[in-house]
Amino acid sequence: MNGLARFALLIAFLFSAAPAFGASAPDTLADAERAFAEGVELRHDSDRAKPAFARAAASYDELWARGYHTPELALNRSRAHRLAGDLPRGLAALHEGLAVARFSRPLQVELDDARSRVLYPIEGELTTQCRPRPIRTVSTRMSPADAWVASGFAWLLACAGVVRFAMTRNAVWLVFTALWVVALAFLGALWLQDVRQRERDESLPLLVVTTDVHLRKGNATEYAPRIEPALPKGAEVRELSRRGGWVQVKLPGGMIGWIPEEVIVPCAK
Amino acid sequence: MKTDTNQVRRRCEFARSFRRAALISVVFILHPSSFTLANGPVRPGEPTVDYYKAEGRGISVRWEVEPKTVHVSSDLTVTLVVTGAQNPTEIVKPDLRKLKPFDVFKITEVPDPPRNATAKEVRFGYKLAPRDTSVTEVPALKFHYYNQFAAEGKRFPSTRTDAVEIIVTEPPKAERSIVPIEAPEFLFHPATGPDVIGRGPFVPCQWAWLAAVCFGPLVCFGWFLVWRRVFPDAAQLARMRRSRAARRATDAIRKANRMPDPPAAVANAVLGYLRTRFPIPEAAVTPSEIAAALKERNVPDEIAEETGDVFRACDRARFAPACDNGLSLVASAKAAVARLEALA
């Protein structure tokens, strides 16, 4: 077989294999937006609207799986899942979006709103154990790009103060420089603290509970519940280990117990 | 003591008699004959099924069913009417739940009206709910009774009700309730546009951080070089300002324009500098005296005269304002301070 024939065969193979890769990202996005729009049009009838939102959510999920990790896509995924009646997956989508853009204010607001829909118990120990703690560190308010610009600007001003002092021999400029260096150091300290806190609090994988389930003392239904009542659908827990179809989890309050694997949805980092 | 012994004995006797009574009761309850006593005597040849203790010569039974057409799982009111029984109060109500033909119904017992001994008929009520549409009738019920006047062996004849045809229809489909989705309004507005599948937020890499670190010093160094090129005197002035006295003097000269009498302020600033750096006598106040005093302090004649000229210019500006302006005065004063500072 000569080279030309081989090349033709390769081209033919590529073209024949092309459909297996599925629709392009813009096409998938268009599908998702169409399904979402259909759901919005049918919003007065939840039985008909929810399947449309579920289709939209599936398309958005596909885009996310392909590596399009943007805050806007995370927001759309979450909204589609929530409107399809799947609050836990909506929460998971928001967490995945925040892992990419922790500073995104719309994602934070939407996460707070989604959490407010979870039926946490109003009183009792479980209330303090399973209600998630809000995180308000510097990285939730400032993006890495903002920090880069701010620190670069502060550094520039500090250097400018030194130069100005060299020009005028006026000590005021040294004070000016010192102020900006202190500001820079403060920003750095905040960022360092943020990184340490994230390492401490978020090193374990996050899971969202998809249905009301008891936190048990062991990895079987024969074990007594660790706490009453059951964990509500949408509760957020951290994974410690897995064994025999069960996951050992830690509640935000520190309590540890077991829940079945089939009642959780993981949040990919 | 004796009283106590009697009490103990009495208690023991009571316990013994109680135990005996309990034993007799248990034996009575468990013995087969007790059932016979409870349910009445068993007659020879008595049927074990479909016999409900009715007695009489010509007993008849029938169903009364209302209504004849019913939906699946809806109740029919069915009444078993027993006519001609001589013992209306003793007839046992048939338990339809134990009869296989009635498995197609969900059966609910209905309380019956009180019976009296002289009643001509006995009525037993039921609620039957057909389980599906395949049910077409209320089945016949076989009913044995006891006829004491019949020949031996034929004392338990049977009769039966007729089956009653019924029509069972599908239940009407419930109207699907249309419920809107209740969610905050913002959920219905997804983000659109190319950003949805864009590149995501910018995260500076280590090279970007290095660039930010280098950018400031490079820009400032460039600025400094340009400044020195554009203002060479300014560079010299800057060197001069290493002296605190010179710095104070130049600051005072710079601010002199804001004073009510700028030439006097300039002259005072320069004089103050001279008295700090070159301890000239207090008596030297005129330009000539100042120049002479400077010469005595080994200041070159040319510089000493130029310094004296600054004071003369100040005097001219104070007493003949048209002769000089503030800017040139400030410049010449600064230059004089710079020249002297270079000597110091």
Side-chain angles (χ1 to χ4, degrees):
Chain A
M1 193 183 288
N2 59 26
L4 190 66
R6 277 183 193 165
F7 181 71
L9 205 63
L10 180 68
I11 295 293
F13 170 74
L14 285 177
F15 272 91
S16 65
F21 293 119
S24 67
D27 289 345
T28 309
L29 178 63
D31 286 346
E33 287 176 348
R34 263 198 302 277
F36 200 103
E38 186 187 329
V40 171
E41 209 166 293
L42 298 170
R43 61 186 284 189
H44 61 278
D45 185 354
S46 63
D47 287 348
R48 291 169 66 203
K50 281 181 179 176
F53 285 123
R55 278 204 316 277
S59 296
Y60 285 133
D61 283 349
E62 189 186 329
L63 286 171
W64 188 268
R66 284 193 204 177
Y68 293 99
H69 293 175
T70 64
E72 291 82 7
L73 184 58
L75 213 57
N76 286 359
R77 284 178 74 204
S78 164
R79 288 175 180 179
H81 277 300
R82 282 184 64 185
L83 291 170
D86 194 347
L87 178 63
R89 280 188 200 284
L91 276 162
L94 288 171
H95 279 293
E96 286 172 0
L98 283 167
V100 175
R102 194 177 163 82
F103 51 86
S104 170
R105 191 72 194 133
L107 286 176
Q108 291 171 6
V109 169
E110 205 127 321
L111 180 64
D112 287 344
D113 180 74
R115 280 174 169 171
S116 71
R117 310 280 157 171
V118 178
L119 301 174
Y120 290 111
I122 297 167
E123 55 187 21
E125 194 186 352
L126 191 60
T127 311
T128 53
Q129 281 292 336
C130 73
R131 200 173 279 276
R133 275 65 166 156
I135 299 169
R136 292 283 180 267
T137 54
V138 67
S139 66
T140 61
R141 295 162 190 272
M142 183 184 259
S143 72
D146 292 341
W148 180 71
V149 170
S151 56
F153 186 66
W155 178 235
L156 179 67
L157 288 177
C159 294
V162 172
V163 170
R164 197 70 190 132
F165 173 73
M167 291 173 180
T168 62
R169 298 288 162 182
N170 190 338
V172 170
W173 291 107
L174 283 181
V175 175
F176 177 83
T177 300
L179 279 177
W180 284 109
V181 169
V182 167
L184 207 55
F186 184 66
L187 185 62
L190 284 178
W191 211 264
L192 195 67
Q193 183 206 19
D194 182 273
V195 169
R196 282 185 181 166
Q197 185 170 344
R198 281 163 74 173
E199 280 174 0
R200 192 178 61 238
D201 297 344
E202 299 172 21
S203 56
L204 300 169
L206 181 69
L207 312 172
V208 181
V209 175
T210 55
T211 182
D212 292 1
V213 64
H214 272 107
L215 184 75
R216 296 191 179 274
K217 291 180 178 174
N219 59 331
T221 48
E222 286 76 24
Y223 287 97
R226 169 82 61 194
I227 191 168
E228 288 285 355
L231 289 178
K233 171 185 171 184
E236 295 160 34
V237 294
R238 295 265 169 198
E239 178 185 333
L240 296 173
S241 63
R242 291 188 183 228
R243 192 193 300 157
W246 287 70
V247 192
Q248 189 182 31
V249 297
K250 185 179 179 184
L251 302 188
M255 185 175 278
I256 293 173
W258 294 82
I259 54 175
E261 270 182 353
E262 61 268 17
V263 301
I264 51 159
V265 53
C267 303
K269 277 219 166 186
Chain B
M1 182 68 100
K2 202 167 185 179
T3 317
D4 287 350
T5 314
N6 286 339
Q7 275 182 349
V8 170
R9 197 181 300 142
R10 236 178 280 139
R11 271 185 206 154
C12 288
E13 281 172 7
F14 175 73
R16 208 175 299 132
S17 57
F18 179 78
R19 242 179 276 137
R20 201 178 301 135
L23 187 66
I24 290 166
S25 304
V26 168
V27 169
F28 175 76
I29 288 166
L30 293 178
H31 197 272
S33 65
S34 63
F35 294 106
T36 310
L37 287 173
N39 295 328
V42 177
R43 296 188 176 96
E46 183 177 300
T48 53
V49 292
D50 302 328
Y51 175 59
Y52 306 103
K53 309 289 184 192
E55 294 178 13
R57 283 191 173 180
I59 291 180
S60 64
V61 289
R62 69 174 193 278
W63 287 123
E64 286 181 2
V65 179
E66 189 63 36
K68 299 283 174 52
T69 303
V70 71
H71 298 309
V72 171
S73 298
S74 296
D75 284 335
L76 289 167
T77 303
V78 176
T79 309
L80 175 66
V81 183
V82 182
T83 314
Q86 291 171 347
N87 59 341
T89 55
E90 293 168 11
I91 302 173
V92 177
K93 183 176 184 176
D95 187 353
L96 300 185
R97 278 174 291 206
K98 291 180 180 168
L99 303 177
K100 196 161 181 58
F102 289 86
D103 284 351
V104 294
F105 295 99
K106 186 183 170 201
I107 299 166
T108 312
E109 295 278 344
V110 174
D112 298 316
R115 290 179 255 171
N116 63 52
T118 57
K120 288 182 180 171
E121 61 179 27
V122 180
R123 303 174 77 87
F124 297 114
Y126 305 89
K127 295 267 186 197
L128 304 187
R131 295 187 191 276
D132 52 50
T133 53
S134 65
V135 182
T136 55
E137 61 178 18
V138 175
L141 176 74
K142 193 174 179 185
F143 194 93
H144 282 285
Y145 59 95
Y146 177 66
N147 182 358
Q148 62 179 332
F149 302 106
E152 191 72 32
K154 293 183 179 177
R155 286 185 175 169
F156 290 98
S158 72
T159 180
R160 61 172 57 231
T161 63
D162 291 331
V164 179
E165 285 192 0
I166 56 170
I167 299 168
V168 180
T169 58
E170 285 287 353
K173 284 190 177 173
E175 281 277 316
R176 191 171 68 87
S177 58
I178 296 176
V179 182
I181 292 183
E182 285 186 14
E185 186 57 35
F186 65 82
L187 287 185
F188 293 98
H189 302 284
T192 53
D195 284 350
V196 176
I197 50 171
R199 297 185 62 183
F202 168 65
V203 178
C205 62
Q206 56 183 358
W207 294 110
W209 284 106
L210 187 66
V213 168
C214 296
F215 179 72
L218 285 175
V219 166
C220 292
F221 185 65
W223 180 29
F224 185 74
L225 290 180
V226 169
W227 173 78
R228 280 196 64 169
R229 194 171 181 80
V230 175
F231 304 105
D233 289 342
Q236 194 184 358
L237 199 66
R239 275 198 302 277
M240 179 198 73
R241 286 177 66 96
R242 283 179 212 141
S243 153
R244 193 171 174 179
R247 197 162 58 245
R248 274 191 195 160
T250 47
D251 283 346
I253 292 165
R254 188 159 44 81
K255 291 173 185 168
N257 282 334
R258 296 179 220 155
M259 300 290 172
D261 186 3
V266 169
N268 285 336
V270 178
L271 190 60
Y273 167 73
L274 290 176
R275 285 185 175 149
T276 309
R277 298 286 281 173
F278 304 92
I280 59 175
E282 292 289 327
V285 288
T286 63
S288 309
E289 289 167 350
I290 290 169
L294 284 175
K295 283 173 190 169
E296 284 175 17
R297 297 287 180 279
N298 297 326
V299 174
D301 292 353
E302 189 187 349
I303 293 173
E305 285 305 326
E306 282 172 358
T307 307
D309 288 346
V310 170
F311 286 97
R312 287 186 196 97
C314 286
D315 289 343
R316 272 201 303 278
R318 288 173 74 186
F319 302 113
C323 298
D324 207 339
N325 59 51
L327 280 178
S328 64
L329 186 63
V330 166
S332 59
K334 280 184 177 177
V337 172
R339 278 193 295 271
L340 290 165
E341 185 63 23
L343 291 174

mmCIF file of all heavy atoms in Angstrom, chain B residues 51-56 59-61 80-94 112 115 119-124 143-145:
data_model
loop_
_atom_site.group_PDB
_atom_site.id
_atom_site.type_symbol
_atom_site.label_atom_id
_atom_site.label_comp_id
_atom_site.label_asym_id
_atom_site.label_seq_id
_atom_site.Cartn_x
_atom_site.Cartn_y
_atom_site.Cartn_z
ATOM 1 N N TYR B 51 -71.757 -23.341 57.200
ATOM 2 C CA TYR B 51 -72.820 -23.526 58.202
ATOM 3 C C TYR B 51 -72.684 -22.424 59.237
ATOM 4 O O TYR B 51 -71.625 -22.250 59.834
ATOM 5 C CB TYR B 51 -72.677 -24.902 58.861
ATOM 6 C CG TYR B 51 -73.664 -25.120 59.984
ATOM 7 C CD1 TYR B 51 -75.051 -25.045 59.745
ATOM 8 C CD2 TYR B 51 -73.231 -25.415 61.278
ATOM 9 C CE1 TYR B 51 -75.944 -25.232 60.787
ATOM 10 C CE2 TYR B 51 -74.123 -25.611 62.312
ATOM 11 C CZ TYR B 51 -75.485 -25.506 62.062
ATOM 12 O OH TYR B 51 -76.376 -25.687 63.090
ATOM 13 N N TYR B 52 -73.767 -21.687 59.393
ATOM 14 C CA TYR B 52 -73.716 -20.487 60.227
ATOM 15 C C TYR B 52 -74.706 -20.535 61.386
ATOM 16 O O TYR B 52 -75.196 -19.507 61.826
ATOM 17 C CB TYR B 52 -73.951 -19.243 59.342
ATOM 18 C CG TYR B 52 -72.980 -19.220 58.159
ATOM 19 C CD1 TYR B 52 -73.404 -19.578 56.893
ATOM 20 C CD2 TYR B 52 -71.658 -18.845 58.352
ATOM 21 C CE1 TYR B 52 -72.517 -19.582 55.827
ATOM 22 C CE2 TYR B 52 -70.768 -18.847 57.293
ATOM 23 C CZ TYR B 52 -71.197 -19.214 56.028
ATOM 24 O OH TYR B 52 -70.299 -19.226 54.997
ATOM 25 N N LYS B 53 -75.025 -21.780 61.801
ATOM 26 C CA LYS B 53 -75.861 -22.016 62.993
ATOM 27 C C LYS B 53 -77.326 -21.628 62.800
ATOM 28 O O LYS B 53 -78.030 -21.399 63.763
ATOM 29 C CB LYS B 53 -75.309 -21.246 64.217
ATOM 30 C CG LYS B 53 -73.838 -21.461 64.487
ATOM 31 C CD LYS B 53 -73.569 -22.831 65.011
ATOM 32 C CE LYS B 53 -72.087 -22.966 65.362
ATOM 33 N NZ LYS B 53 -71.747 -24.367 65.599
ATOM 34 N N ALA B 54 -77.750 -21.525 61.575
ATOM 35 C CA ALA B 54 -79.160 -21.189 61.352
ATOM 36 C C ALA B 54 -80.000 -22.461 61.492
ATOM 37 O O ALA B 54 -79.573 -23.542 61.093
ATOM 38 C CB ALA B 54 -79.329 -20.584 59.975
ATOM 39 N N GLU B 55 -81.186 -22.316 62.060
ATOM 40 C CA GLU B 55 -82.095 -23.456 62.240
ATOM 41 C C GLU B 55 -83.455 -23.099 61.671
ATOM 42 O O GLU B 55 -83.909 -21.958 61.820
ATOM 43 C CB GLU B 55 -82.242 -23.787 63.733
ATOM 44 C CG GLU B 55 -80.970 -24.292 64.369
ATOM 45 C CD GLU B 55 -81.151 -24.566 65.854
ATOM 46 O OE1 GLU B 55 -82.310 -24.600 66.326
ATOM 47 O OE2 GLU B 55 -80.125 -24.742 66.547
ATOM 48 N N GLY B 56 -84.085 -24.086 61.073
ATOM 49 C CA GLY B 56 -85.410 -23.817 60.545
ATOM 50 C C GLY B 56 -85.814 -24.861 59.523
ATOM 51 O O GLY B 56 -85.002 -25.718 59.150
ATOM 52 N N ILE B 59 -85.406 -22.423 55.135
ATOM 53 C CA ILE B 59 -84.655 -21.139 55.168
ATOM 54 C C ILE B 59 -84.265 -20.767 53.746
ATOM 55 O O ILE B 59 -83.877 -21.619 52.947
ATOM 56 C CB ILE B 59 -83.415 -21.272 56.068
ATOM 57 C CG1 ILE B 59 -83.864 -21.413 57.532
ATOM 58 C CG2 ILE B 59 -82.493 -20.087 55.905
ATOM 59 C CD1 ILE B 59 -82.759 -21.549 58.523
ATOM 60 N N SER B 60 -84.401 -19.482 53.439
ATOM 61 C CA SER B 60 -83.905 -18.994 52.134
ATOM 62 C C SER B 60 -82.950 -17.815 52.365
ATOM 63 O O SER B 60 -83.071 -17.087 53.355
ATOM 64 C CB SER B 60 -85.079 -18.568 51.239
ATOM 65 O OG SER B 60 -85.733 -17.466 51.833
ATOM 66 N N VAL B 61 -82.034 -17.692 51.425
ATOM 67 C CA VAL B 61 -81.068 -16.578 51.525
ATOM 68 C C VAL B 61 -81.004 -15.849 50.181
ATOM 69 O O VAL B 61 -81.206 -16.462 49.123
ATOM 70 C CB VAL B 61 -79.653 -17.069 51.918
ATOM 71 C CG1 VAL B 61 -79.615 -17.521 53.349
ATOM 72 C CG2 VAL B 61 -79.180 -18.176 50.996
ATOM 73 N N LEU B 80 -76.781 -9.590 53.006
ATOM 74 C CA LEU B 80 -77.229 -10.984 52.956
ATOM 75 C C LEU B 80 -78.511 -11.070 53.797
ATOM 76 O O LEU B 80 -78.491 -10.767 54.985
ATOM 77 C CB LEU B 80 -76.155 -11.904 53.537
ATOM 78 C CG LEU B 80 -76.525 -13.373 53.657
ATOM 79 C CD1 LEU B 80 -76.721 -14.009 52.276
ATOM 80 C CD2 LEU B 80 -75.469 -14.139 54.448
ATOM 81 N N VAL B 81 -79.613 -11.495 53.141
ATOM 82 C CA VAL B 81 -80.893 -11.569 53.857
ATOM 83 C C VAL B 81 -81.233 -13.050 54.069
ATOM 84 O O VAL B 81 -81.324 -13.812 53.110
ATOM 85 C CB VAL B 81 -82.020 -10.881 53.053
ATOM 86 C CG1 VAL B 81 -83.338 -10.896 53.837
ATOM 87 C CG2 VAL B 81 -81.619 -9.460 52.707
ATOM 88 N N VAL B 82 -81.362 -13.417 55.339
ATOM 89 C CA VAL B 82 -81.700 -14.809 55.693
ATOM 90 C C VAL B 82 -83.149 -14.789 56.182
ATOM 91 O O VAL B 82 -83.468 -14.091 57.145
ATOM 92 C CB VAL B 82 -80.764 -15.331 56.801
ATOM 93 C CG1 VAL B 82 -81.079 -16.775 57.139
ATOM 94 C CG2 VAL B 82 -79.308 -15.168 56.394
ATOM 95 N N THR B 83 -83.982 -15.562 55.510
ATOM 96 C CA THR B 83 -85.411 -15.552 55.839
ATOM 97 C C THR B 83 -85.824 -16.953 56.327
ATOM 98 O O THR B 83 -85.348 -17.956 55.788
ATOM 99 C CB THR B 83 -86.241 -15.184 54.586
ATOM 100 O OG1 THR B 83 -85.617 -14.069 53.963
ATOM 101 C CG2 THR B 83 -87.671 -14.806 54.947
ATOM 102 N N GLY B 84 -86.702 -16.987 57.323
ATOM 103 C CA GLY B 84 -87.276 -18.243 57.785
ATOM 104 C C GLY B 84 -86.503 -18.941 58.868
ATOM 105 O O GLY B 84 -86.771 -20.106 59.175
ATOM 106 N N ALA B 85 -85.530 -18.279 59.451
ATOM 107 C CA ALA B 85 -84.763 -18.926 60.516
ATOM 108 C C ALA B 85 -85.532 -18.853 61.830
ATOM 109 O O ALA B 85 -86.198 -17.847 62.105
ATOM 110 C CB ALA B 85 -83.411 -18.261 60.667
ATOM 111 N N GLN B 86 -85.431 -19.945 62.621
ATOM 112 C CA GLN B 86 -86.130 -19.968 63.906
ATOM 113 C C GLN B 86 -85.269 -19.391 65.038
ATOM 114 O O GLN B 86 -85.780 -19.156 66.116
ATOM 115 C CB GLN B 86 -86.516 -21.409 64.231
ATOM 116 C CG GLN B 86 -87.582 -21.937 63.301
ATOM 117 C CD GLN B 86 -87.811 -23.429 63.474
ATOM 118 O OE1 GLN B 86 -87.020 -24.123 64.118
ATOM 119 N NE2 GLN B 86 -88.891 -23.931 62.894
ATOM 120 N N ASN B 87 -84.009 -19.244 64.775
ATOM 121 C CA ASN B 87 -83.100 -18.716 65.823
ATOM 122 C C ASN B 87 -82.366 -17.478 65.314
ATOM 123 O O ASN B 87 -81.131 -17.499 65.147
ATOM 124 C CB ASN B 87 -82.109 -19.788 66.249
ATOM 125 C CG ASN B 87 -81.259 -20.284 65.081
ATOM 126 O OD1 ASN B 87 -81.644 -20.086 63.907
ATOM 127 N ND2 ASN B 87 -80.129 -20.871 65.371
ATOM 128 N N PRO B 88 -83.095 -16.445 65.020
ATOM 129 C CA PRO B 88 -82.427 -15.274 64.387
ATOM 130 C C PRO B 88 -81.264 -14.728 65.200
ATOM 131 O O PRO B 88 -80.280 -14.255 64.633
ATOM 132 C CB PRO B 88 -83.537 -14.222 64.309
ATOM 133 C CG PRO B 88 -84.810 -14.927 64.544
ATOM 134 C CD PRO B 88 -84.513 -16.165 65.306
ATOM 135 N N THR B 89 -81.342 -14.823 66.480
ATOM 136 C CA THR B 89 -80.289 -14.210 67.288
ATOM 137 C C THR B 89 -79.014 -15.059 67.330
ATOM 138 O O THR B 89 -77.953 -14.583 67.717
ATOM 139 C CB THR B 89 -80.778 -13.985 68.722
ATOM 140 O OG1 THR B 89 -81.238 -15.235 69.224
ATOM 141 C CG2 THR B 89 -81.877 -12.950 68.782
ATOM 142 N N GLU B 90 -79.119 -16.336 66.946
ATOM 143 C CA GLU B 90 -77.947 -17.220 67.072
ATOM 144 C C GLU B 90 -77.181 -17.395 65.764
ATOM 145 O O GLU B 90 -76.138 -18.043 65.730
ATOM 146 C CB GLU B 90 -78.403 -18.600 67.577
ATOM 147 C CG GLU B 90 -78.919 -18.549 69.008
ATOM 148 C CD GLU B 90 -79.645 -19.826 69.426
ATOM 149 O OE1 GLU B 90 -79.553 -20.823 68.666
ATOM 150 O OE2 GLU B 90 -80.301 -19.808 70.467
ATOM 151 N N ILE B 91 -77.719 -16.876 64.684
ATOM 152 C CA ILE B 91 -77.041 -17.067 63.387
ATOM 153 C C ILE B 91 -75.735 -16.281 63.379
ATOM 154 O O ILE B 91 -75.691 -15.109 63.787
ATOM 155 C CB ILE B 91 -77.948 -16.609 62.218
ATOM 156 C CG1 ILE B 91 -79.256 -17.409 62.256
ATOM 157 C CG2 ILE B 91 -77.252 -16.778 60.883
ATOM 158 C CD1 ILE B 91 -80.285 -16.925 61.253
ATOM 159 N N VAL B 92 -74.703 -16.958 62.929
ATOM 160 C CA VAL B 92 -73.374 -16.323 62.864
ATOM 161 C C VAL B 92 -73.222 -15.612 61.520
ATOM 162 O O VAL B 92 -73.589 -16.173 60.481
ATOM 163 C CB VAL B 92 -72.261 -17.383 63.017
ATOM 164 C CG1 VAL B 92 -70.889 -16.757 62.888
ATOM 165 C CG2 VAL B 92 -72.419 -18.097 64.346
ATOM 166 N N LYS B 93 -72.705 -14.409 61.565
ATOM 167 C CA LYS B 93 -72.537 -13.651 60.311
ATOM 168 C C LYS B 93 -71.426 -14.292 59.466
ATOM 169 O O LYS B 93 -70.302 -14.482 59.963
ATOM 170 C CB LYS B 93 -72.162 -12.202 60.651
ATOM 171 C CG LYS B 93 -72.044 -11.314 59.443
ATOM 172 C CD LYS B 93 -71.769 -9.868 59.856
ATOM 173 C CE LYS B 93 -71.743 -8.949 58.668
ATOM 174 N NZ LYS B 93 -71.584 -7.549 59.052
ATOM 175 N N PRO B 94 -71.706 -14.651 58.219
ATOM 176 C CA PRO B 94 -70.648 -15.257 57.380
ATOM 177 C C PRO B 94 -69.479 -14.270 57.176
ATOM 178 O O PRO B 94 -69.701 -13.090 56.907
ATOM 179 C CB PRO B 94 -71.356 -15.533 56.045
ATOM 180 C CG PRO B 94 -72.801 -15.569 56.385
ATOM 181 C CD PRO B 94 -72.990 -14.616 57.520
ATOM 182 N N ASP B 112 -74.349 -4.501 61.951
ATOM 183 C CA ASP B 112 -75.719 -4.936 61.626
ATOM 184 C C ASP B 112 -76.711 -4.383 62.634
ATOM 185 O O ASP B 112 -76.354 -4.109 63.779
ATOM 186 C CB ASP B 112 -75.776 -6.467 61.645
ATOM 187 C CG ASP B 112 -74.847 -7.055 60.605
ATOM 188 O OD1 ASP B 112 -74.835 -6.534 59.480
ATOM 189 O OD2 ASP B 112 -74.115 -8.009 60.951
ATOM 190 N N ARG B 115 -80.809 -7.707 66.502
ATOM 191 C CA ARG B 115 -81.754 -8.765 66.112
ATOM 192 C C ARG B 115 -82.648 -9.110 67.301
ATOM 193 O O ARG B 115 -82.196 -9.034 68.441
ATOM 194 C CB ARG B 115 -80.992 -10.025 65.706
ATOM 195 C CG ARG B 115 -80.257 -9.877 64.406
ATOM 196 C CD ARG B 115 -79.502 -11.152 64.093
ATOM 197 N NE ARG B 115 -78.063 -11.001 64.324
ATOM 198 C CZ ARG B 115 -77.210 -12.002 64.287
ATOM 199 N NH1 ARG B 115 -77.636 -13.240 64.039
ATOM 200 N NH2 ARG B 115 -75.946 -11.794 64.509
ATOM 201 N N ALA B 119 -87.867 -12.059 64.921
ATOM 202 C CA ALA B 119 -87.698 -11.452 63.593
ATOM 203 C C ALA B 119 -87.857 -12.515 62.509
ATOM 204 O O ALA B 119 -87.441 -13.660 62.687
ATOM 205 C CB ALA B 119 -86.336 -10.798 63.498
ATOM 206 N N LYS B 120 -88.482 -12.120 61.368
ATOM 207 C CA LYS B 120 -88.696 -13.078 60.287
ATOM 208 C C LYS B 120 -87.469 -13.186 59.390
ATOM 209 O O LYS B 120 -87.297 -14.182 58.698
ATOM 210 C CB LYS B 120 -89.907 -12.663 59.446
ATOM 211 C CG LYS B 120 -91.209 -12.868 60.178
ATOM 212 C CD LYS B 120 -92.381 -12.505 59.299
ATOM 213 C CE LYS B 120 -93.683 -12.735 60.072
ATOM 214 N NZ LYS B 120 -94.834 -12.201 59.333
ATOM 215 N N GLU B 121 -86.688 -12.137 59.380
ATOM 216 C CA GLU B 121 -85.474 -12.208 58.558
ATOM 217 C C GLU B 121 -84.299 -11.576 59.306
ATOM 218 O O GLU B 121 -84.496 -10.728 60.180
ATOM 219 C CB GLU B 121 -85.675 -11.529 57.193
ATOM 220 C CG GLU B 121 -86.000 -10.064 57.287
ATOM 221 C CD GLU B 121 -86.165 -9.413 55.916
ATOM 222 O OE1 GLU B 121 -86.536 -10.128 54.973
ATOM 223 O OE2 GLU B 121 -85.908 -8.208 55.819
ATOM 224 N N VAL B 122 -83.147 -12.016 58.889
ATOM 225 C CA VAL B 122 -81.910 -11.484 59.479
ATOM 226 C C VAL B 122 -81.091 -10.865 58.336
ATOM 227 O O VAL B 122 -80.989 -11.459 57.259
ATOM 228 C CB VAL B 122 -81.100 -12.604 60.158
ATOM 229 C CG1 VAL B 122 -79.819 -12.038 60.756
ATOM 230 C CG2 VAL B 122 -81.926 -13.294 61.214
ATOM 231 N N ARG B 123 -80.542 -9.686 58.590
ATOM 232 C CA ARG B 123 -79.783 -8.991 57.523
ATOM 233 C C ARG B 123 -78.332 -8.783 57.992
ATOM 234 O O ARG B 123 -78.095 -8.276 59.091
ATOM 235 C CB ARG B 123 -80.426 -7.638 57.210
ATOM 236 C CG ARG B 123 -81.881 -7.757 56.810
ATOM 237 C CD ARG B 123 -82.526 -6.401 56.654
ATOM 238 N NE ARG B 123 -82.144 -5.774 55.404
ATOM 239 C CZ ARG B 123 -82.759 -5.949 54.255
ATOM 240 N NH1 ARG B 123 -83.800 -6.776 54.199
ATOM 241 N NH2 ARG B 123 -82.344 -5.357 53.172
ATOM 242 N N PHE B 124 -77.409 -9.211 57.115
ATOM 243 C CA PHE B 124 -75.978 -8.982 57.382
ATOM 244 C C PHE B 124 -75.417 -8.057 56.303
ATOM 245 O O PHE B 124 -75.514 -8.377 55.113
ATOM 246 C CB PHE B 124 -75.202 -10.311 57.354
ATOM 247 C CG PHE B 124 -75.642 -11.279 58.416
ATOM 248 C CD1 PHE B 124 -76.264 -12.489 58.085
ATOM 249 C CD2 PHE B 124 -75.442 -10.994 59.765
ATOM 250 C CE1 PHE B 124 -76.654 -13.373 59.063
ATOM 251 C CE2 PHE B 124 -75.850 -11.903 60.737
ATOM 252 C CZ PHE B 124 -76.459 -13.085 60.396
ATOM 253 N N PHE B 143 -75.276 -21.885 51.812
ATOM 254 C CA PHE B 143 -75.704 -21.640 53.189
ATOM 255 C C PHE B 143 -76.363 -22.906 53.742
ATOM 256 O O PHE B 143 -77.472 -23.283 53.360
ATOM 257 C CB PHE B 143 -76.719 -20.471 53.174
ATOM 258 C CG PHE B 143 -76.998 -19.896 54.524
ATOM 259 C CD1 PHE B 143 -76.268 -18.797 54.984
ATOM 260 C CD2 PHE B 143 -77.996 -20.422 55.344
ATOM 261 C CE1 PHE B 143 -76.565 -18.249 56.220
ATOM 262 C CE2 PHE B 143 -78.263 -19.884 56.586
ATOM 263 C CZ PHE B 143 -77.546 -18.779 57.032
ATOM 264 N N HIS B 144 -75.649 -23.635 54.612
ATOM 265 C CA HIS B 144 -76.251 -24.816 55.277
ATOM 266 C C HIS B 144 -77.034 -24.344 56.486
ATOM 267 O O HIS B 144 -76.670 -23.327 57.099
ATOM 268 C CB HIS B 144 -75.125 -25.747 55.754
ATOM 269 C CG HIS B 144 -74.534 -26.576 54.674
ATOM 270 N ND1 HIS B 144 -75.158 -27.679 54.123
ATOM 271 C CD2 HIS B 144 -73.338 -26.468 54.015
ATOM 272 C CE1 HIS B 144 -74.394 -28.199 53.192
ATOM 273 N NE2 HIS B 144 -73.261 -27.467 53.099
ATOM 274 N N TYR B 145 -78.062 -25.076 56.826
ATOM 275 C CA TYR B 145 -78.797 -24.775 58.056
ATOM 276 C C TYR B 145 -79.265 -26.094 58.689
ATOM 277 O O TYR B 145 -79.147 -27.158 58.083
ATOM 278 C CB TYR B 145 -79.976 -23.836 57.766
ATOM 279 C CG TYR B 145 -80.986 -24.354 56.785
ATOM 280 C CD1 TYR B 145 -82.142 -25.019 57.223
ATOM 281 C CD2 TYR B 145 -80.805 -24.182 55.410
ATOM 282 C CE1 TYR B 145 -83.070 -25.485 56.326
ATOM 283 C CE2 TYR B 145 -81.733 -24.662 54.520
ATOM 284 C CZ TYR B 145 -82.869 -25.309 54.980
ATOM 285 O OH TYR B 145 -83.780 -25.795 54.095
#
